[in-house]
Amino acid sequence: RRAHAIIVDHLIPAMMRAETYNDIARLEQLLDEYYQVQTLDPSKLPVIRAQIWELIVQAELHHDLHASEAPDDFDDFLLHVDGYLCEIKDAQIRDGLHTLGQTPIGEQRIGLVMAMLRLDNGSVRSLRHALADLAGLDYSALLAEPGVRFHEPLPAFLASEQAAVHTHSDVIETLEQAGRGLVTALADQGWDAGQVASTVHEQLGVAAPEVMRTLRFACEVIVPSLERTPDEINNILRALDGEYIPAGPSGAPTRGLAHVLPTGRNFYSVDPKTLPSPIAYQVGTDLANSLIEKYLADEGAYPESIGIVVWGTSAMRTHGDDIAEVLALLGVRPVWQEESRRVTGIDVIPLSELGRPRIDVTLRISGFFRDAFPNLVHLVDDAIQTVAGLDEPLEQNYVRKHVMADRDAYRTAGVTAEAAQERSLYRIFGSKPGTYGAGILPLLDERNWRSDQDLAEVYMAWGGYAYTKTVYGSDASDEFKTRFAEIVVAVKNQDNREHDIFDSDDYLQYHGGMVAAIRALSGRDPKAYFGDSSDPSRARVRALADEARRVFRTRVVNPKWIESMQQHGYKGAFEMAATVDYMYGYDATAQVIDDWMYEQLTDHYVLDAEVQQFFREKNPWALRNIIERLMESVDRGLWQQPDEEQLEQMRRVYLQLEGDLEDRTDTSEGQPA
C-alpha cells in the first residue's frame, strides 16, 4: 500500500450468530418460564424471581445490567434482561478463520449468506425486514426495544417457528428462524434461483414478492460471488506474473455491501474528495447525538471536550462516518457540489438550529489516515478554525472557550501572538511524518512499564505531532498535553461486526492509549465510549466497559467460537492467545476487564480439559503465553482478587507445559530443521 502496489483482497471469515450457552441459556429458559407462570400461576412468581436473580449474579450479568441488587420493579427490570440476552444471542461473530482461496461451504456458507442478508443491500430488502413487513410487524420497533412484551398473534407462516412468543426478542428469533429455513432450503436445492418461488410458497404459504426478491439476490449475486473465492489465489499468482488483475471496491460485506464481492480483486477505496458522503454525515450525526445523550445521562451536563480515534480503513469502508461525527459535534455540515458530490467546504449550523453547545473535538489520526486523506485533515482544521472564530457565548461554543484560554496561556508564557493563536487551534494529532502506530504494543510485549505515566509518555511521544492546513507533523507535545488533559470522553467507533475490539492490538493502542494518556495527564478517569454503526440505520454509543463485556460473552468465552478456532489447529490456538493479549492490553490502558472475566478466561482457556488438550496438541506455546499473561495481570493488580485455588491449578498446568516443551526441545536436538 505504501509503495502503491496492488492489493489483492480476500473474503471475511464465515459469520454465525452467537446464540446462548451455559448460564445465559439457562437464564433464557427461566425467563420463558416466568412469562408462562405470570399468566397461568402468578403465585409462583416470587420463587422464579429469586431464581432469576440468583442466576444473573451467578453469571455475573448484574455487571452488564448495572444492577447491584434485585430491583423492586422486577417486571421492568426483566425488559432489560430480555433485551440484553437478545442482543447477546443475535450478535454476529466469526465462525473460524478464512482460508485464502477457499469458498465457504455447508453451514458456514448459510451463516455467511444470512449475515449478508441481515441488512438492506441497496434497494434489496433485508431478509428479516422483508419477513417482518410480510407479517405486518414494525421491524425497527422490534430491534429498538427487544425486551418489550409482545401480545399480538403472529401470522400462520411464522407461528410454527417459535413455540412461545412473549417479547420482541422472541419475534426477532422467529424471523431469524424463518429466514434461515428459507436459506437452508435453497442451499439444499443448489441455490437455484428458479426454485425461489416454489420454496417460498412451500415454506410460507403466502405471496411474498419482497422476500422472493431478497432470496433471488442471494442466489444470483451473493452465492455466485462466493463461488469465485478461488480467484484470491489465482489472481495473486497472476499478479506475481505481472498480469492484469481486475479491480474491486472496498467495504464490509455484512454492512449491506454485498457488491464488494467477489474477492481476489485489485482493491480500491473511494474518491477522498467525496468524503464524508451525505449518508455518512447522517450516520455521523446519529453517532454524535447518541454520544451527547449518553454523556448527559451519565454526567448531567454536556461534554466540553471529546477525543476521538480516526482510522483510514474505517473512512474507506464508511465513506467518512468518523469525520462526519466530528463535524456534527462541532455544529457544522459539509457542502457538496451537486454534480460531483464532492465536498467543497462547510456550513455553520446556527445555535438556534443546533439546540446545544458546540463540542470541542480532538482527533488522534492513524498514519494511514494521514497519508490517504489529507483533504479531510484540512476539512476538519477549517471547521475548527471557523467555529473558534464565531462570535458566540463561551458556554455555547466550547471550541472558542478553550482556544481563547489556551491562547492567553501561551501568550503569558512568552509566545508570540501569531504562534499562540496557531498553537491554540491544534486539534488533530498523529504520528511523526513517515511513521505509523501508537507505540503501546511494544511496551506491553516487553513488559517494560510500571504505571499510566509510562503508557502516556509513549502515547504522547508517538502521537504528539500536529496536523493542520499549514502544519504537517509539527512536534507539538506541549499542545498535545494541554488538549488531552481537557478531554472528558475518549471514543472509538466501529462500523462492522466482522471484527471486534479484542481482535487487534490497534484498538487497545489507539483507544486504550488515549484513555491512559488522559488519565495520566488529567488525574481523572475519562469516560470511554464505543460507537457502534454496524447497522448504519441504528448507530449507537455505549460505554467501552459494556462493549468489552458484550464481546467477551458473545465471542471470547463462547463455546461456538472456541470450537471454530480449534478447527484451525496451530493458528486457531494463536488467535485465542492473541485475544487474551488484547484483553490484557485494553485492561492495562483503559481498565475495562473485571475480575470475573479473568476467572472465566482461566476456566475456559486453561483449566477446561478439552481446550487444554487442544492447546497441548496443536500449540502449547500459545497456552504458555496465555498463562503468563494471566499471571502478569495478577502481578500488576489488574486481576485484583484472584482465587488462590484457581491460580494454583494454573501454576500446575504451567509447570507441566514447561516440562513438555523441554522434552520437545530435547528430542528435537540434532534433527534436521
Side-chain angles (χ1 to χ4, degrees), residues 132-145:
D133 285 351
L134 183 64
L137 301 169
D138 186 339
Y139 186 59
S140 298
L142 295 175
L143 293 176
E145 297 182 297

Side-chain angles (χ1 to χ4, degrees), residues 327 330 332 344-346 376-388 428 468-469:
L327 299 181
L330 292 169
V332 301
T344 59
I346 57 164
L376 296 183
V377 171
H378 299 165
L379 181 70
V380 171
D381 185 55
D382 185 41
I384 289 164
Q385 294 199 40
T386 300
V387 170
I428 307 170
T468 70
K469 288 194 294 186

Side-chain angles (χ1 to χ4, degrees), residues 429-508:
F429 296 92
S431 305
K432 186 178 181 179
T435 66
Y436 303 84
I440 298 293
L441 188 65
L443 203 65
L444 297 177
D445 281 347
E446 294 162 15
R447 297 170 169 80
N448 189 23
W449 64 283
R450 293 183 301 277
S451 66
D452 280 349
Q453 195 62 44
D454 295 331
L455 298 172
E457 287 294 335
V458 168
Y459 194 78
M460 287 184 282
W462 280 66
Y465 296 85
Y467 291 86
T468 70
K469 288 194 294 186
T470 56
V471 171
Y472 185 80
S474 172
D475 188 347
S477 55
D478 290 340
E479 293 81 2
F480 181 101
K481 292 176 182 177
T482 300
R483 281 290 87 241
F484 274 66
E486 295 290 329
I487 292 173
V488 296
V489 178
V491 64
K492 170 76 181 78
N493 297 324
Q494 187 167 327
D495 56 90
N496 66 79
R497 284 293 171 183
E498 295 162 15
H499 50 89
D500 57 53
I501 62 173
F502 297 146
D503 261 336
S504 163
D505 59 80
D506 285 331
Y507 292 97
L508 71 92

Side-chain angles (χ1 to χ4, degrees), residues 210-453:
E210 280 298 324
V211 174
M212 290 169 56
R213 184 176 179 225
T214 300
L215 293 174
R216 278 196 294 268
F217 178 77
C219 294
E220 296 171 351
V221 176
I222 295 179
V223 172
S225 295
L226 293 176
E227 292 283 5
R228 298 178 66 180
T229 306
D231 288 356
E232 293 172 356
I233 289 180
N234 297 337
N235 282 342
I236 286 174
L237 296 176
R238 288 169 56 85
L240 292 173
D241 278 341
E243 298 181 26
Y244 170 74
I245 307 301
S250 60
T254 61
R255 204 174 185 250
L257 297 175
H259 71 276
V260 303
L261 302 178
T263 49
R265 300 299 180 263
N266 181 8
F267 180 92
Y268 67 85
S269 60
V270 294
D271 177 356
K273 294 180 181 179
T274 63
L275 274 56
S277 69
I279 294 174
Y281 183 71
Q282 182 57 58
V283 175
T285 300
D286 292 343
L287 285 167
N289 291 338
S290 295
L291 188 155
I292 292 170
E293 288 169 10
K294 176 151 185 62
Y295 191 85
L296 277 169
D298 289 346
E299 300 295 318
Y302 286 102
E304 289 201 14
S305 187
I306 288 172
I308 183 169
V309 174
V310 179
W311 289 349
T313 48
S314 298
M316 288 163 52
R317 287 192 301 266
T318 67
H319 290 213
D321 283 4
D322 292 337
I323 294 302
E325 181 179 8
V326 171
L327 299 181
L329 288 166
L330 292 169
V332 301
R333 62 170 64 93
V335 176
W336 294 277
Q337 186 181 49
E338 188 172 346
E339 295 80 11
S340 67
R341 307 309 291 163
R342 287 186 166 187
V343 176
T344 59
I346 57 164
D347 266 348
V348 174
I349 302 171
L351 285 173
S352 58
E353 180 184 341
L354 193 61
R356 58 163 173 82
R358 303 187 192 279
I359 310 299
D360 198 353
V361 190
T362 298
L363 287 69
R364 190 351 179 148
I365 61 173
S366 68
F368 176 43
F369 182 90
R370 171 201 62 210
D371 297 346
F373 301 105
N375 60 302
L376 296 183
V377 171
H378 299 165
L379 181 70
V380 171
D381 185 55
D382 185 41
I384 289 164
Q385 294 199 40
T386 300
V387 170
L390 296 173
D391 184 13
E392 294 174 339
L394 299 187
E395 66 272 12
Q396 291 295 309
N397 187 330
Y398 297 140
V399 182
R400 182 169 183 247
K401 175 182 177 180
H402 299 152
V403 165
M404 291 175 66
D406 292 347
R407 183 186 61 202
D408 292 345
Y410 294 141
R411 291 288 288 124
T412 302
V415 178
T416 65
E418 183 179 352
Q421 177 66 17
E422 179 181 68
R423 289 166 57 182
S424 67
L425 287 163
Y426 288 170
R427 292 295 186 280
I428 307 170
F429 296 92
S431 305
K432 186 178 181 179
T435 66
Y436 303 84
I440 298 293
L441 188 65
L443 203 65
L444 297 177
D445 281 347
E446 294 162 15
R447 297 170 169 80
N448 189 23
W449 64 283
R450 293 183 301 277
S451 66
D452 280 349
Q453 195 62 44

